[in-house]
């Protein structure tokens, strides 16, 4: 039997065997808290920077605490100061995408993917705001990565909606609509240029907001009627900005112009209806509203994905095309990622993904106990548990609205 000892992080030194450390798996990049034998002083310093206070060492596999003074780490060679380099590009290869069966690696990859894609999205929008031509190469880079990821592990793309940065709505919303566009496009059988076009239209659909007064776009409250008239101009401004730029597909420009049009002609800016609205635009009309409803804003709280779908369904056939809405609901599933649910054992969990072959058994992370108090996060694969004797306790009992139990905020996933 292993002899374990808990020690302060300051006593950790090379030669000790780290059996575990006291930090939520959401807050560190390692596959396991069992790090093995330490070879140098760099890892203790890194663990300390993450906020680790104590570690558990295995005395059978490594050194015990030395009662003498700890050896000082060798001094770092002085490096000449260099000007800050631009952000390194996201090194991305299909072989880096984890398999959907590995939920821990999938979440870690999704967090990195989200962070890097957000940086790219901000650069695209900043260029537009500065009056420069749209950074189409960078936009295509984001969409290409989304497509490659959907091909290998759709759970990564579904997790992007869970990792929303609520204080950066404009950027997050653009990225999420692009991700949902690629996911939905794949679901309905699009490929190649069609899939890229739908993703690009999603990413750029609100680019016109970069051309509006910042005090209206970023207003911390509901817009007045006059301000809303100005806000609605983002569709035409975005279209005028993008329509004649080299390499921008025509359907992308139409998506920018028409994503607020409605099936029954009640939308804007042209009040066109039915098939007069481009196919890309009709899809974006659903994706745009769904992501907006499930996002927190200063002037209103988000809806649960379940209630957001019900809200869309209330306008099925009027504002939103029946066929597109029905297939979108089939795409996001019975328990869309980001949904908070209560289990039969009383615990609360947030849905992080699901297997399309078994949509009633999603992957989720438990974050509150039956008394609605925080508990140590625990991943649960209900598909694996369904045939086990204790599995019934992890069956979903009900959807929970954010007004009753808010889902974890962005800091929970860091």
């Amino acid at each position: 039997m292993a002899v374990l000892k808990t020690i302060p992080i300051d006593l950790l030194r090379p030669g000790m065997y780290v059996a575990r450390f006291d930090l939520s798996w959401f807050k560190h990049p390692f596959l396991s808290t069992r790090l093995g034998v330490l070879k140098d002083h760099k890892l203790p310093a890194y663990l300390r920077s993450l906020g680790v206070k104590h570690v558990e060492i295995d005395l059978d596999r490594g050194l015990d605490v030395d009662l003498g003074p700890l050896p000082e780490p060798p001094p770092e060679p002085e490096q000449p100061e260099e000007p800050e380099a631009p952000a390194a590009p996201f090194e991305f290869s299909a072989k880096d995408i984890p398999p959907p069966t590995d939920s821990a690696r999938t979440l870690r990859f999704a967090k990195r993917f989200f962070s890097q894609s957000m940086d790219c999205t901000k650069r695209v929008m900043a260029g537009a705001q500065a009056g420069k031509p749209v950074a189409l190469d960078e936009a295509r880079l984001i969409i290409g990565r989304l497509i490659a990821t959907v091909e290998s592990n759709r759970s990564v793309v579904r997790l992007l909606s869970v990792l929303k940065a609520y204080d950066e709505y404009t950027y997050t919303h653009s990225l999420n609509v692009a991700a949902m566009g690629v996911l939905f496009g794949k679901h309905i059988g699009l490929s190649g240029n069609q899939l890229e076009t739908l993703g690009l239209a999603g990413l750029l659909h609100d680019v016109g907001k970069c051309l509006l007064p910042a005090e209206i776009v970023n207003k911390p409250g509901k817009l007045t009627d006059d301000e809303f008239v100005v806000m609605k101009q983002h569709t035409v401004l975005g279209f005028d900005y993008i329509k004649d730029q080299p390499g921008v597909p025509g359907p992308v420009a139409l998506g920018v112009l028409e994503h607020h049009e409605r099936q029954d002609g009640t939308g804007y800016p042209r009040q066109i209806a039915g098939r007069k609205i481009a196919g890309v635009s009709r899809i974006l009309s659903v994706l745009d509203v769904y992501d907006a409803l499930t996002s927190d804003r200063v002037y209103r709280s988000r809806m649960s994905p379940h209630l957001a779908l019900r809200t869309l369904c209330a306008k099925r056939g009027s504002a939103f095309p029946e066929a597109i809405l029905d297939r979108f609901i089939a795409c996001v599933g019975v328990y869309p990622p980001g949904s908070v649910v209560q289990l039969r054992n009383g615990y609360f969990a947030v849905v992080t993904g699901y297997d399309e072959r078994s949509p009633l058994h999603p992957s989720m992370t438990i974050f509150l106990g039956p008394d609605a108090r925080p508990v140590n996060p625990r991943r649960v694969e209900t598909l694996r548990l369904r045939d086990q004797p204790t599995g019934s306790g992890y069956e979903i009992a009900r959807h929970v609205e954010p007004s009753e139990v808010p889902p974890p905020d962005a800091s929970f996933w860091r």
Side-chain angles (χ1 to χ4, degrees):
M1 186 174 180
V3 179
L4 303 177
K5 176 188 284 188
T6 300
I7 64 170
I9 186 68
D10 290 338
L11 295 182
L12 187 62
R13 63 188 177 95
M16 292 180 173
Y17 186 101
V18 178
R20 65 178 299 276
F21 55 86
D22 60 341
L23 195 66
S24 163
W25 68 274
F26 293 107
K27 298 181 180 180
H28 67 77
F30 304 106
L31 292 177
S32 167
T33 58
R34 183 184 295 275
L35 300 180
V37 177
L38 296 191
K39 294 181 172 57
D40 53 42
H41 290 274
K42 294 180 180 178
L43 190 55
Y46 180 61
L47 291 175
R48 194 178 295 110
S49 73
L50 292 176
V52 174
K53 304 296 184 186
H54 296 84
V55 297
E56 201 170 70
I57 59 173
D58 187 333
L59 302 185
D60 287 341
R61 299 186 180 188
L63 298 178
D64 194 354
V65 176
D66 189 346
L67 297 179
L70 293 176
E72 291 293 326
E76 294 287 337
E78 290 189 10
Q79 299 290 338
E81 290 190 9
E82 296 181 1
E84 187 175 348
F90 184 15
E91 296 297 332
F92 185 94
S93 170
K95 63 181 175 57
D96 297 327
I97 302 171
T101 53
D102 191 334
S103 57
R105 283 181 60 205
T106 293
L107 177 59
R108 282 193 286 275
F109 183 85
K111 289 193 289 185
R112 181 169 174 245
F113 189 103
F114 177 80
S115 175
Q116 297 284 355
S117 297
M118 277 285 285
D119 289 344
C120 289
T121 302
K122 289 176 183 178
R123 288 194 291 272
V124 171
M125 298 302 175
Q129 195 165 23
K132 299 177 181 177
V134 64
L136 201 58
D137 288 344
E138 187 135 37
R140 280 201 161 101
L141 191 65
I142 299 172
I143 304 308
R145 291 168 180 166
L146 285 169
I147 292 172
T149 305
V150 164
E151 297 281 358
S152 300
N153 185 348
R154 298 186 185 187
S155 293
V156 171
V157 180
R158 292 190 178 107
L159 274 167
L160 298 185
S161 65
V162 180
L163 300 172
K164 291 180 182 180
Y166 300 113
D167 56 341
E168 297 183 311
Y169 173 76
T170 298
Y171 306 117
T172 308
H173 176 64
S174 297
L175 179 58
N176 279 333
V177 173
M180 285 192 295
V182 170
L183 193 64
F184 180 67
K186 189 68 179 174
H187 177 78
I188 63 176
L190 300 185
S191 61
N193 290 338
Q194 289 180 316
L195 197 55
E196 182 188 69
T197 294
L198 182 55
L200 283 172
L203 186 69
L204 298 172
H205 77 286
D206 270 346
V207 70
K209 289 184 178 178
C210 298
L211 309 174
L212 291 175
E215 60 269 21
I216 290 181
V217 176
N218 301 321
K219 181 180 178 180
K222 196 168 183 177
L223 299 177
T224 66
D225 290 344
D226 289 342
E227 288 169 337
F228 186 58
V229 169
V230 175
M231 178 65 85
K232 289 197 294 185
Q233 294 175 12
H234 78 276
T235 54
V236 175
L237 290 173
F239 177 72
D240 289 341
Y241 163 71
I242 209 170
K243 65 179 179 179
D244 296 324
Q245 295 200 28
V248 176
V252 171
L254 284 176
V256 172
L257 178 66
E258 298 176 350
H259 63 277
H260 283 289
E261 299 288 0
R262 295 295 179 255
Q263 184 77 3
D264 56 7
T266 59
Y268 66 87
R270 296 185 293 163
Q271 293 84 47
I272 55 177
R275 293 284 175 175
K276 291 183 180 179
I277 306 170
V280 164
S281 307
R282 283 183 282 133
I283 292 174
L284 288 183
S285 71
V286 173
L287 308 185
D288 176 53
V289 173
Y290 175 78
D291 188 70
L293 291 176
T294 55
S295 298
D296 271 326
R297 306 301 300 277
V298 174
Y299 54 86
R300 63 156 175 79
S301 298
R302 80 187 91 172
M303 291 183 184
S304 70
H306 178 70
L307 183 54
L309 290 177
R310 286 176 54 190
T311 302
L312 288 169
C313 283
K315 296 184 178 181
R316 176 180 177 271
S318 54
F320 304 109
E322 294 179 6
I324 291 174
L325 184 55
D326 291 349
R327 298 188 78 173
F328 176 69
I329 292 170
C331 175
V332 297
V334 181
Y335 301 107
S339 300
V340 173
V341 295
Q342 187 169 29
L343 311 180
R344 292 194 183 280
N345 60 17
Y347 284 79
F348 294 88
V350 59
V351 174
T352 55
Y354 67 94
D355 187 323
E356 291 183 359
R357 295 166 297 180
S358 189
L360 295 177
H361 299 90
S363 305
M364 47 194 179
T365 296
I366 292 174
F367 68 103
L368 296 177
D371 56 0
R373 293 184 178 180
V375 296
N376 289 329
R378 185 163 79 253
R379 294 190 304 276
V380 176
E381 303 290 341
T382 58
L383 184 57
R384 297 179 185 176
L385 292 174
R386 64 178 176 178
D387 296 324
Q388 296 184 16
T390 58
S392 62
Y394 293 93
E395 292 177 355
I396 294 174
R398 67 185 182 102
H399 280 277
V400 180
E401 285 301 308
S403 56
E404 178 184 353
V405 175
D409 62 22
S411 64
F412 177 84
W413 305 100
R414 289 175 189 153

